[in-house]
Amino acid sequence: MMRCAVKGGGYVVASSRADRRSSAINPSGVRMPSSPGWCGGLRWRAPDLDGIEMPGLRGGVEGLFRPRYGRVRATATADPEDVPFENVQVKSSGHVLPYVGVACLGAILFGYHLGVVNGALEHLAKDLGIAENAVLQGWVVSTTLAGATVGSFTGGSLADKFGRTRTFILDAVPLAIGAFLRQNIHSATAQDVRTMIIGRLLAGVGIGISSALVPLYISEVISPTEIRGTLGSVNQLFICIGILAALVAGLPLAANPAWWRTMFGIAVIPSVLLAVGMAFSPESPRWLFQQGKFAQAESAVKRLYGKEKVTEVMYDLRASGQSSSEPEAGWFDLFSKRYWKVVSVGAALFLFQQLAGINAVVYYSTSVFRSAGIASDVAASALVGAANVFGTMIASSLMDKQGRKSLLITSFSGMAASMLLLALSFTWKALAPYSGTLAVVGTVLYVLSFALGAGPVPALLLPEIFASRIRAKAVALSLGMHWVSNFFIGLYFLSVVNKFGISTVYLGFASVCALAVIYIAGNVVETKGRSLEEIERDLSPA
């Protein structure tokens, strides 16, 4: 395998240790003094080969153009022959982490806005005079999901047009306004019900945009493939933290029913912090490169990974073909023969994720626990949120060891078993005395199983399998499926439960989980330990 390095005013081509052992290239390296040429898009000077015997050159040159491209590193002092190849790879997670943390404020808001209605619904329904109106309560829950559907479809286009960081700043506006409107409702009038729904709608648009934007930004700024799964899964971890924060925020409701207004208003703070943080965060180098802003891309790479990796990362971007003449993909390109397979996998994963019942559990666990006879229903829901966080932390540690596909299969299998247990606990008369305990145990096991794979993997896997020119729009389309199915579940779950019974609904969720296992086994590819460019070349060749 060959590698290129900057030395003084020119470039030096040197073979790896393995190539040096198998070739007759002079161990001191081959210097390039004059004629111009190209090395993976980087200019070098051609060597004077007179009198040099190079029987192993053919294998070395072929190594330069293998699918896994050589790495490039700038150095003004050291001869590349003297630099151990292992030392060329610079750990960059320390540079990236603060910006990943800022982006994850969007994930926290995602989870908080989804979970905040769980404990607050009963109290806000009384204050707004809709306690006996299940349809309006359903709209209060699902309007956020309708807004999120719109936001998820527009988020990809906004991110492609304005860039990732600017879109984050724009996204903070509906998130903050939506939270502010809901906090300032003080009477039970039709106007206040409309204000609540408008506030939920705006917040939904915001979380829809962030649901597409957070995993997209994180996947594009994380460079080391060996830790991309761990860092990429923090998106889901912070969504779970947001849900848990919302459930914990509902604990004072028992003593102060008016507390629900404060619960909604708290969301203004992370919205403002997201906008301010992104104003100081670097743009995605991949997006800048695609826009032809090469100097800005180099500056972003320096901030994200350190100056040692500027030449290396820029070389990877050139070698991956992201500087090709292909135009930016349109929506109809997603359905072309070249991309349809990976796009359909992305849409299917989010569809299975929602039809498996997770958000029915998130929205209505308090109501389900109450019907099962659990006295401290809000505390039990908080326990479910804690299980979600704990399971996601475990998944983060396993993502780059076990792989994405195996975690998905394990996760959906556990969810199917847990839903079956829940269904039986409400059906078998012999289990009736233990229905409350089984409801909590089954729900906690279900959420743990979800957190191990079905929760974090799709948001991480999709930006990995989608080609760079379709990534933003394909993620948006997949999340559109997520929010459409989520909307209908939030709107009709209570009505379906009232008509068919909770046991039948849970059996339906278990069946969906079993179908998901079969689908994943046959269609999902493993991306562990592979660069985004390598995955793109394999799944979406030009």
Side-chain angles (χ1 to χ4, degrees):
M1 177 177 173
M2 303 285 288
R3 73 179 186 274
C4 307
V6 182
K7 182 176 175 65
Y11 286 82
V12 176
V13 175
S15 60
S16 67
R17 290 178 176 176
D19 289 333
R20 288 201 296 270
R21 285 195 296 268
S22 62
S23 71
I25 296 178
N26 190 331
S28 62
V30 180
R31 301 191 181 272
M32 312 296 187
S34 55
S35 305
W38 288 94
C39 177
L42 296 176
R43 194 170 292 278
W44 50 275
R45 300 175 183 176
D48 181 2
L49 299 179
D50 292 343
I52 299 179
E53 225 176 314
M54 305 180 71
L57 183 60
R58 182 173 178 271
V61 172
E62 288 176 348
L64 181 62
F65 299 101
R66 288 173 190 153
R68 291 185 67 92
Y69 292 91
R71 297 289 184 178
V72 183
R73 185 188 179 197
T75 171
T77 56
D79 191 315
E81 290 289 299
D82 301 326
V83 180
F85 188 66
E86 310 89 279
N87 294 343
V88 174
Q89 300 293 333
V90 180
K91 296 291 183 181
S92 62
S93 58
H95 296 273
V96 174
L97 283 176
Y99 307 117
V100 171
V102 173
C104 283
L105 286 171
I108 290 176
L109 286 163
F110 180 133
Y112 190 86
H113 282 295
L114 286 182
V116 72
V117 76
N118 188 312
L121 183 60
E122 178 184 354
H123 301 282
L124 72 86
K126 289 179 180 177
D127 284 356
L128 297 180
I130 58 173
E132 304 301 322
N133 193 330
V135 174
L136 275 180
Q137 289 184 51
W139 276 105
V140 168
V141 172
S142 57
T143 300
T144 295
L145 309 178
T149 303
V150 175
S152 65
F153 279 114
T154 59
S157 298
L158 290 172
D160 278 343
K161 183 174 183 179
F162 299 110
R164 291 20 173 173
T165 54
R166 288 182 183 177
T167 306
F168 267 117
I169 295 171
L170 291 172
D171 184 37
V173 176
L175 286 169
I177 293 176
F180 179 78
L181 286 178
R182 292 174 299 169
Q183 182 190 22
N184 287 273
I185 295 174
H186 297 289
S187 60
T189 65
Q191 181 178 352
D192 285 310
V193 174
R194 286 196 297 270
T195 302
M196 167 61 73
I197 291 176
I198 291 171
R200 292 281 291 169
L201 181 67
L202 287 173
V205 172
I207 67 172
I209 294 173
S210 66
S211 69
L213 202 54
V214 175
L216 179 67
Y217 182 77
I218 292 176
S219 70
E220 290 188 342
V221 302
I222 295 174
S223 177
T225 58
E226 69 273 10
I227 62 169
R228 191 176 64 239
T230 299
L231 290 185
S233 59
V234 301
N235 173 56
Q236 181 65 25
L237 175 61
F238 278 91
I239 291 174
C240 298
I241 290 174
I243 293 173
L244 177 60
L247 296 173
V248 171
L251 293 177
L253 282 168
N256 181 14
W259 176 256
W260 65 267
R261 295 183 178 85
T262 304
M263 292 170 62
F264 284 116
I266 289 173
V268 173
I269 298 172
S271 302
V272 174
L273 292 176
L274 176 64
V276 173
M278 274 297 157
F280 295 95
S281 296
E283 183 53 80
S284 160
R286 284 181 172 86
W287 181 81
L288 291 170
F289 198 94
Q290 287 173 322
Q291 303 301 308
K293 301 177 180 180
F294 304 122
Q296 294 179 41
E298 289 186 8
S299 177
V301 170
K302 184 183 295 185
R303 290 182 64 189
L304 287 166
Y305 317 127
K307 63 182 180 180
E308 300 91 349
K309 296 200 76 173
V310 171
T311 312
E312 175 186 346
V313 175
M314 293 299 292
Y315 171 73
D316 268 351
L317 292 175
R318 288 185 173 92
S320 71
Q322 292 190 42
S323 59
S324 70
S325 58
E326 286 189 282
E328 182 179 314
W331 285 103
F332 288 109
D333 290 325
L334 304 183
F335 305 98
S336 66
K337 183 179 179 180
R338 178 181 177 186
Y339 297 122
W340 171 242
K341 183 175 181 179
V342 290
V343 171
S344 63
V345 167
L349 285 180
F350 272 117
L351 189 62
F352 279 125
Q353 183 195 69
Q354 293 308 302
L355 295 182
I358 181 59
N359 280 314
V361 172
V362 171
Y363 301 144
Y364 299 110
S365 62
T366 300
S367 300
V368 171
F369 289 149
R370 188 180 300 116
S371 67
I374 300 297
S376 183
D377 43 26
V378 176
S381 290
L383 175 63
V384 170
N388 203 4
V389 173
F390 179 69
T392 305
M393 292 174 66
I394 295 174
S396 298
S397 66
L398 296 176
M399 199 70 70
D400 291 308
K401 297 176 183 177
Q402 300 299 320
R404 285 61 153 162
K405 184 174 182 177
S406 62
L407 285 178
L408 278 174
I409 292 174
T410 301
S411 175
F412 276 106
S413 299
M415 290 162 67
S418 301
M419 276 296 177
L420 185 60
L421 173 63
L422 284 167
L424 293 177
S425 70
F426 285 101
T427 304
W428 284 7
K429 293 182 180 180
L431 298 176
Y434 314 103
S435 61
T437 302
L438 290 176
V440 175
V441 171
T443 302
V444 169
L445 289 177
Y446 173 85
V447 170
L448 273 175
S449 299
F450 174 85
L452 285 175
V457 171
L460 170 65
L461 184 69
L462 267 58
E464 291 182 326
I465 65 175
F466 293 148
S468 57
R469 67 187 294 260
I470 69 164
R471 188 170 292 137
K473 288 184 175 65
V475 168
L477 177 66
S478 300
L479 284 164
M481 294 295 298
H482 165 97
W483 289 116
V484 168
S485 53
N486 200 337
F487 170 78
F488 285 106
I489 289 173
L491 186 59
Y492 293 114
F493 177 74
L494 284 181
S495 300
V496 172
V497 168
N498 290 336
K499 184 173 183 178
F500 298 103
I502 190 67
S503 179
T504 302
V505 173
Y506 280 170
L507 281 175
F509 289 151
S511 301
V512 171
C513 293
L515 287 174
V517 172
I518 298 171
Y519 178 85
I520 292 164
N523 294 278
V524 174
V525 298
E526 184 55 70
T527 59
K528 177 186 69 173
R530 305 171 70 189
S531 71
L532 297 183
E533 291 74 29
E534 180 186 354
I535 297 167
E536 178 175 340
R537 288 192 295 271
D538 287 348
L539 296 182
S540 304

